[in-house]
Amino acid sequence: MGLFNKFQKTRESIETLRHYSNSFFRIVIDEVISGTEAVINGRPTILAGTNNYLGMPQRKECIEAACQAIMEQGTGTTGSRMANGTYSIHVELEQAMSRFLHKKHTIVFTTGYSANLSVLSTVVGPKDIVILDADCHASIYDGCRLGGVQVYRFRHNDMADLGKRIERLSKGGANILIAVEGLYSMLGDRAPLREIVRLKTRYGAYLLVDEAHSLGVLGEKGRGLAEEAGVEDDVDFVIGTFSKSLGSVGGYCSSNHKELELLRFTSRPYVFTASSSPANIAAARKAIEIIEREPELRRRLWENANQLFNRLQEMSFVLGPAPSPIIPVRFQEIPQAFEAWNGLLENGVYVNIVLPPASPDGTALLRCSLSASHSPDQVEKIAKAFKKIKHLA
Ligand code: PMP
């Protein structure tokens, strides 16, 4: 009994949430109709809250590549990358990612979470400093914790705050790594990478950019925010995941520092977990190929993003700072956000509900995300469902 006393607060929070919405605990995809539609609780529902930016999980070529990998290599590797879990397709994917991202070295990890955990717990240590954007993903925070590094946060995208901190901290002589995301997962806004690079260069720091939500989404060739901002050579460590625009599971870090390769021997989240399955690796490899040859996917994604952003803006919802495939709709009060979320579900639209502390500034968000696979008609249906719950915002 004593062991579980600490869960009392969690129990109470769950009860409060259940009071707002029973459905919150019952979101199960009973049937996948397509990349943008599923049966949820017996009702066909438009999915506007996934990370399926480019429709890759449903692409025939990705499915075929995954099936072929299973037929030829089995369902799992049953081992760590360090031991028996590195197959030739893992190595080929690392080479393909390096080529695609114009970096010399890439390590493929089992998830994006473990990519951040690996890099941040190994590249920096207790004598080093990480200055990170307050809105960074949990895996960045957790990696810092695992490595015991000194962590300082700057206010989200606030360059004056970053400038002040880096100036003060650089006086101590420790190595400094700045950690930011490309496109932020909750607000859908971009890190001001050029200014960050300017500060990094001025103070001799290193830079890690987590492009989890920007791979395949930003940049002329889909390489992410660093490509769009023209600062790829200034990014020391590019982190990413296969679980969003690539429609698979896995993660990577790419870098021009040859020391990245040493992580294969020193990083616990690389060494002590099984490698990604052949199917996941084959699907990610095919998706990268498709991103390289089909820029129109990105164009369609952005058309959909602009369409929904404009429609919601016309209705005077409070949104993120700019159109993006991630569109946060803000609610001041949690009960109203839940009521709106329930209302959207009843109108056949699923979005993510994000509550403090996961939401950035204490407000509740309904986080919409678009896919290149949404039709203009589906985007219009999403907008119409929002119109019905406008009185709650
Ligand atoms: N970084 C960011 C910014 C993310 O949003 C996520 C996933 N939510 C991850 C890392 C972790 O990726 P994965 O799902 O592959 O573990």
Side-chain angles (χ1 to χ4, degrees), residues 65-140:
C67 289
Q68 192 183 342
I70 291 182
M71 296 305 280
E72 290 172 3
Q73 300 170 47
T75 53
T77 65
T78 77
S80 152
R81 292 289 319 266
M82 176 84 167
N84 58 301
T86 293
Y87 290 10
S88 55
I89 46 170
H90 293 88
V91 178
E92 281 159 24
L93 180 56
E94 286 174 342
Q95 290 163 352
M97 291 302 295
S98 290
R99 250 192 333 268
F100 178 62
L101 293 172
H102 300 182
K103 296 281 187 215
K104 292 192 179 120
H105 307 274
T106 296
I107 300 185
V108 161
F109 296 92
T110 306
T111 61
Y113 182 86
S114 57
N116 270 325
L117 224 56
S118 280
V119 175
L120 282 152
S121 66
T122 314
V123 166
V124 280
K127 292 191 178 143
D128 305 315
I129 289 173
V130 169
I131 310 181
L132 48 75
D133 187 291
D135 283 6
C136 275
H137 189 257
S139 53
I140 295 179

Side-chain angles (χ1 to χ4, degrees), residues 162-176:
L162 172 60
K164 222 167 48 200
R165 278 167 209 277
I166 197 167
E167 187 194 355
R168 180 170 59 79
L169 292 165
S170 65
K171 290 186 179 137
N175 295 307
I176 296 178

